[in-house]
């Protein structure tokens, strides 16, 4: 948006807007229309540490609408201020995401996922964070940001030893429209969390601060695995591009479990696509059809890539309890 205002100011008498544009003028449909037309012609670029453009691609309509949403929020904030800094509110809204976002069509199957696991679990390659990310994604079908946010530290109130549930929404985080649900802990994830918790508790109390993350780099939290993900795609000669970002795990696993007869109701709840009812606040759902399908997926991945589901690649795997056995465990 600031680039747009600078570009308009550079037009001098031919420009209609600029850095001196008032809130009232920015609240108009004319302003939004002019910005959309300008933004559509601007490429999306990425720069390296030297400020040099390394990647450039046509800007998506959804990117433009994100800017529209942000400037609308700024203008509403100005009107809500005490005292108000504007007596106008934007008459425009961002276009609905389903109207501007291209449907992601790419999916991966279990063979590709097994290949990723073998790559991430390879000994001596320092790919532990990517490995943990794959495991967390498989067991929760969560958004990448939710997976990297899983932590066993008690103050987070997400998980505790022998607790059969994991709350993807840590204590203190306000739920948003991208709802983070409370899920059953699959046996595979439980083993990883137990091991991370043992590592966490072995530290002196003063050294536990900032530790306990499932996906970590030498114990410290990381915001994303994008760099490791890009390297993996390149080394495995897999496609790259928008549809092959790490989000493909969530889309693919949802597709796999849906095609394995997981009920729509269970899958919606498991993925956070619906907020829980008041009843579910008291009686947390077990999402049985999704859990069954995921445990089947995990068993097949162990057959396709033996040993890669362990934190340390062993080439073999211990007996993975069935859903019934897991429920009967103390």
């Amino acid at each position: 948006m600031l680039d747009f205002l600078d570009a308009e100011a550079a037009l001098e008498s031919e420009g209609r807007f600029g850095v001196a544009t008032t809130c009232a003028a920015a609240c108009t449909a004319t302003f939004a229309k002019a910005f959309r037309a300008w933004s559509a012609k601007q490429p999306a670029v990425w720069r390296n540490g030297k400020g040099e453009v390394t990647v450039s691609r046509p800007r998506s309509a959804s990117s433009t609408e994100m800017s529209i949403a942000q400037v609308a929020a700024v203008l509403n904030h100005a009107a809500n201020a005490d005292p108000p800094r504007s007596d106008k509110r934007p008459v425009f809204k961002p276009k609905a995401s389903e109207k501007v976002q291209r449907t992601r069509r790419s999916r991966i199957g279990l063979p590709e996922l097994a290949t990723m696991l073998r790559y991430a679990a390879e000994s001596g390659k320092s790919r532990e964070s990517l490995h943990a990310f794959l495991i967390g994604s498989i067991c929760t079908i969560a958004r990448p940001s939710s997976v990297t946010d899983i932590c066993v530290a008690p103050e987070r109130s997400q998980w505790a030893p022998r607790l059969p549930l994991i709350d993807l929404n840590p204590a203190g985080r306000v739920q948003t429209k991208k709802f983070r649900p409370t899920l059953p802990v699959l046996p595979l994830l439980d083993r990883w969390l137990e091991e991370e918790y043992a590592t966490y508790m072995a530290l002196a109390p003063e050294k536990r601060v900032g530790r306990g993350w499932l996906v970590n780099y030498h114990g410290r939290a990381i915001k994303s695995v994008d760099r490791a993900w890009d390297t993996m795609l390149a080394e495995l000669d897999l496609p790259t591009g928008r549809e092959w970002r790490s989000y493909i795990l969530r889309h693919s696993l949802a597709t796999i479990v849906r095609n394995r007869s997981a009920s729509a109701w269970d899958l919606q709840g498991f993925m956070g696509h619906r907020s829980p009812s008041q009843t579910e606040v008291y009686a947390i759902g077990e999402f049985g059809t999704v859990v069954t399908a995921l445990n089947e997926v995990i068993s097949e991945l162990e057959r396709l890539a033996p040993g890669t589901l362990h934190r340390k690649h062993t080439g073999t795997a211990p007996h993975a309890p069935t859903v019934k056995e897991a429920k009967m465990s103390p």
Side-chain angles (χ1 to χ4, degrees), residues 152-330:
V152 300
E155 65 270 16
R156 301 268 298 182
S157 300
Q158 290 188 280
W159 173 88
R162 295 176 294 283
L163 183 68
L165 302 171
I166 181 168
D167 190 343
L168 295 182
N169 196 59
R173 178 187 178 275
V174 177
Q175 288 280 17
T176 67
K177 64 180 181 179
K178 292 187 175 181
F179 187 83
R180 293 189 183 183
T182 297
L183 303 176
V185 178
L186 272 63
L188 172 61
L189 181 60
D190 190 60
R191 292 199 297 271
W192 278 68
L193 294 176
E194 287 278 4
E195 291 180 33
E196 186 57 47
Y197 186 75
T199 301
Y200 174 84
M201 293 303 294
L203 296 170
E206 66 273 11
K207 294 185 177 181
R208 294 175 188 167
V209 178
R211 300 298 183 99
W213 304 92
L214 173 66
V215 182
N216 66 77
Y217 181 74
H218 296 296
R220 297 295 180 182
I222 61 175
K223 292 183 178 180
S224 78
V225 296
D226 286 352
R227 182 175 297 179
W229 183 268
D230 290 344
T231 300
M232 177 186 69
L233 294 182
E235 293 192 9
L236 294 180
D237 198 24
L238 291 170
T240 57
R242 175 178 178 271
E243 294 207 355
W244 276 78
R245 308 305 302 159
S246 58
Y247 219 96
I248 197 173
L249 291 178
R250 177 169 164 89
H251 290 196
S252 299
L253 287 161
T255 300
I256 290 169
V257 300
R258 181 180 182 183
N259 291 337
R260 290 177 179 240
S261 301
S263 73
W265 182 256
D266 277 354
L267 188 54
Q268 287 173 9
F270 199 91
M271 297 184 69
H273 285 162
R274 62 174 175 81
S275 299
S277 66
Q278 188 62 32
T279 298
E280 289 175 298
V281 171
Y282 295 93
I284 297 174
E286 294 184 349
F287 311 111
T289 59
V290 175
V291 170
T292 297
L294 283 177
N295 277 320
E296 291 175 356
V297 166
I298 289 168
S299 295
E300 291 187 34
L301 288 172
E302 182 55 52
R303 178 178 58 80
L304 292 170
T308 60
L309 298 177
H310 300 285
R311 283 169 67 114
K312 300 296 182 182
H313 188 182
T314 62
T316 58
H319 166 63
T322 64
V323 176
K324 182 177 180 180
E325 290 173 332
K327 290 182 178 180
M328 295 176 63
S329 298

Side-chain angles (χ1 to χ4, degrees), residues 138-151:
I138 292 167
C139 293
T140 64
I141 323 183
R143 299 175 181 88
S145 58
S146 296
V147 176
T148 56
D149 213 19
I150 294 174
C151 184

Side-chain angles (χ1 to χ4, degrees), residues 32-82:
K33 182 178 180 180
F35 172 74
R36 284 186 171 114
W38 173 86
S39 179
K41 300 175 183 178
Q42 309 307 310
V45 298
W46 284 261
R47 301 178 185 275
N48 60 20
K50 298 179 181 179
E52 301 166 335
V53 175
T54 56
V55 180
S56 176
R57 63 164 175 77
R59 184 172 299 278
S60 66
S62 60
S63 173
T64 295
E65 293 309 309
M66 181 61 71
S67 294
I68 288 287
Q70 291 172 342
V71 77
V74 169
L75 293 168
N76 280 316
H77 180 76
N80 293 333
D82 185 16

